Amino acid sequence: MGQKLKVLLQSVKSSNRGPELIVSRVDKLLLKRLFEMEVPEIFNGAVEIVSIAREAGSRSKVSVVAKQEGVDAVGSCVGLRGIRIQNIVNELHGEKIDVVEWSDDPARFIKNGLSPAVVTRVDLNLEDGTAVAVVPERQLSLAIGKEGQNARLAARMTGLKIDIISDVEAEALDVERTPAVTAEIPTEEASTQT
């Protein structure tokens, strides 16, 4: 009693006892509205939320893209010292939220979606909507996540079925590189050395 909660009003129905309000705290639209309230750049259209994958009460992944030149989409959502995202996490009672940058390149989007794991290569087959992400052996459990949650959320967010294998497994199986598109993704170290 007396606790304030933000909820999403889904519908209003009439019943014998008067109007009946149907509210939700698990709908991903609630998460979108919380971002709009907390992040002015989303509210005014400088940053757009492209997709949301959510397992309410546990973890969510939100992909964002900047619509204005010079705006850092992820940085805007996180805020200075993480204050904006922390306010949303507190409202959702500790639900973890990953904010990732959206990309129109599916390979790059999958790489971003599987963060915090480092993805070295993505083999895509857009005809059947599948992808194989290759990660370093030591990052395999991080990429998959607890009970497969990280991989599941990344797949929902990207709209592709994602299989994750280690680089050791990829070499051992001699993964056939005949999918429609193969994209090499340079690691941060390699890109800074060139």
Side-chain angles (χ1 to χ4, degrees):
M1 290 294 290
Q3 184 181 3
K4 290 184 178 179
L5 289 174
K6 290 188 171 89
V7 296
L8 178 72
L9 178 61
Q10 290 186 313
S11 64
V12 180
K13 298 178 180 175
S14 356
S15 69
N16 295 340
R17 297 183 310 184
E20 187 178 87
L21 305 176
I22 309 299
V23 297
S24 172
R25 282 188 49 91
V26 298
D27 196 305
K28 56 186 178 181
L29 188 55
L30 172 68
L31 186 57
K32 184 175 183 179
R33 295 294 178 245
L34 289 173
F35 268 95
E36 288 172 357
M37 290 171 61
E38 197 62 44
V39 183
E41 290 86 351
I42 291 177
F43 184 75
N44 67 28
V47 173
E48 180 185 336
I49 295 176
V50 180
S51 62
I52 297 174
R54 184 172 186 216
E55 290 184 2
S58 179
R59 187 178 199 130
S60 296
K61 283 187 180 281
V62 179
S63 65
V64 293
V65 65
K67 291 295 191 179
Q68 278 184 7
E69 194 70 32
V71 175
D72 175 13
V74 175
S76 298
C77 294
V78 172
L80 187 62
R81 291 191 289 277
I83 191 72
R84 290 177 176 175
I85 197 76
Q86 193 56 52
N87 289 340
I88 297 170
V89 167
N90 291 342
E91 180 61 41
L92 297 174
H93 303 296
E95 182 176 315
K96 292 180 176 69
I97 302 172
D98 295 338
V99 180
V100 299
E101 190 169 349
W102 177 83
S103 174
D104 56 358
D105 173 16
R108 176 69 56 191
F109 191 28
I110 289 169
K111 175 194 178 278
N112 295 347
L114 286 172
S115 69
V118 175
V119 178
T120 55
R121 191 178 85 218
V122 176
D123 296 333
L124 292 169
N125 187 337
L126 297 176
E127 290 175 10
D128 62 0
T130 61
V132 177
V134 180
V135 299
E137 179 77 29
R138 68 186 188 289
Q139 299 250 322
L140 188 58
S141 62
L142 182 64
I144 294 169
K146 185 179 178 184
E147 297 173 0
Q149 187 180 54
N150 194 51
R152 197 168 48 248
L153 288 172
R156 269 193 234 147
M157 187 177 66
T158 60
L160 296 167
K161 181 182 180 298
I162 304 171
D163 291 322
I164 302 170
I165 61 173
S166 71
D167 52 358
V168 174
E169 191 179 351
E171 281 181 34
L173 294 173
D174 193 29
V175 176
E176 207 172 286
R177 296 182 124 200
T178 54
V181 181
T182 299
E184 291 287 337
I185 301 175
T187 60
E188 309 307 328
E189 295 169 10
S191 60
T192 55
Q193 290 174 355
T194 54

